[in-house]
């Protein structure tokens, strides 16, 4: 897969809904009902971060949910890429980008949303062919104002900002011409997961799906 092909695929995913849930799953038993709740609420594209021992098994479970598109976040190494692809991930997300990671995703035909935090990083990815990128960490990096400023001289790049994005500030990002969607964890709060409040999560997803 070429970087250009990867960006075409990630752009399609980013345009499916204004918010991509960023999910940290500790209990595999939560995977299926969580995915169903989010998809039912109008958020079909799901990012499961590889931050817990349950993550890969959760991806495998969630990949079976009709209407959902499940990817793996926090890809750091070629081994992560291989494991994510084997688990059924249909796309990948990384906090930054290295040549080894980009090579691995391209060789595995796994569309990657690579992370960039500066104009130079965004330019380097664009030079390789990645025109759709993750802006991370968004709030710590200056928020919507910073992303607007970075994007002004690089209009070829579209972003999915994540990191500190909430219901309260998501609109600031979504109002930018260089933003396709945002990534956020607020649609699946830990207390609701532990309580099994799937109806509540569906309601949060529906609220997020209505953003623009």
């Amino acid at each position: 897969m070429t970087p250009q092909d990867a960006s075409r695929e990630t752009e399609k995913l980013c345009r499916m809904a204004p918010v991509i849930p960023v999910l940290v799953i500790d209990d595999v038993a939560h995977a299926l009902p969580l995915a169903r709740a989010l998809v039912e609420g109008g958020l079909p594209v799901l990012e499961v971060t590889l931050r817990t021992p349950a993550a890969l098994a959760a991806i495998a479970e969630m990949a079976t949910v009709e209407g959902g598109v499940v990817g793996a976040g926090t890809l750091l190494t070629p081994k992560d890429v291989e494991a994510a692809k084997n688990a059924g991930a249909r796309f990948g997300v990384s906090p930054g980008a290295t040549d080894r990671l980009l090579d691995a995703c391209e060789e595995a035909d796994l569309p990657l949303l690579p992370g960039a935090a500066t104009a130079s990083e965004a330019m380097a990815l664009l030079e390789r062919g990645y025109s759709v990128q993750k802006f991370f960490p968004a709030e710590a990096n200056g928020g919507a104002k910073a992303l607007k400023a970075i994007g002004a001289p690089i209009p070829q790049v579209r972003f999915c900002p994540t990191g500190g994005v909430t219901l309260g500030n998501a609109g600031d990002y979504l109002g930018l011409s260089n933003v396709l969607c945002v990534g956020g964890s607020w649609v699946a709060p830990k207390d609701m997961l532990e309580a099994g409040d799937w109806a509540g999560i569906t309601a949060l997803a529906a609220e997020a799906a209505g953003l623009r």
Side-chain angles (χ1 to χ4, degrees):
M1 172 173 283
T2 68
Q4 292 81 4
D5 288 338
S7 285
R8 278 190 285 270
E9 289 301 312
T10 53
E11 180 170 356
K12 289 177 186 176
L13 296 175
C14 287
R15 291 188 182 280
M16 290 179 71
V19 178
I20 295 178
V22 180
L23 308 171
V24 180
I25 299 176
D26 293 299
D27 187 345
V28 178
H30 293 158
L32 276 177
L34 174 59
R36 288 170 180 153
L38 292 167
V39 171
E40 182 182 345
L43 302 181
V45 183
L46 313 174
E47 175 192 340
V48 178
T49 61
L50 300 187
R51 301 181 190 178
T52 69
L56 291 170
I59 288 172
E61 290 284 320
M62 297 170 88
T64 67
V65 173
E66 185 175 355
V69 182
V70 183
T74 326
L75 296 183
L76 303 177
T77 68
K79 285 187 177 180
D80 290 339
V81 174
E82 181 181 9
K85 188 74 183 281
N86 289 339
R90 291 172 56 184
F91 67 94
V93 184
S94 60
T98 66
D99 287 335
R100 289 182 71 234
L101 182 65
L102 296 172
D103 288 344
C105 287
E106 291 161 17
E107 290 170 10
D109 289 331
L110 186 69
L112 179 69
L113 188 64
T118 67
S120 292
E121 291 172 0
M123 288 171 62
L125 284 167
L126 179 62
E127 188 174 87
R128 180 155 175 155
Y130 288 91
S131 57
V132 178
Q133 304 172 18
K134 167 181 170 176
F135 180 60
F136 177 83
E139 281 295 289
N141 215 31
K145 289 183 179 179
L147 184 52
K148 181 179 181 180
I150 289 172
I154 319 173
Q156 303 95 320
V157 180
R158 296 289 184 270
F159 292 93
C160 170
T162 74
V165 180
T166 66
L167 179 63
N169 62 25
D172 296 336
Y173 291 99
L174 292 170
L176 299 179
S177 61
N178 62 338
V179 169
L180 293 170
C181 66
V182 300
S185 60
W186 82 86
V187 294
K190 188 173 183 179
D191 59 341
M192 282 190 175
L193 281 175
E194 292 178 348
D197 185 2
W198 312 121
I201 288 175
T202 294
L204 289 178
E207 183 179 36
L211 292 171
R212 262 310 171 197

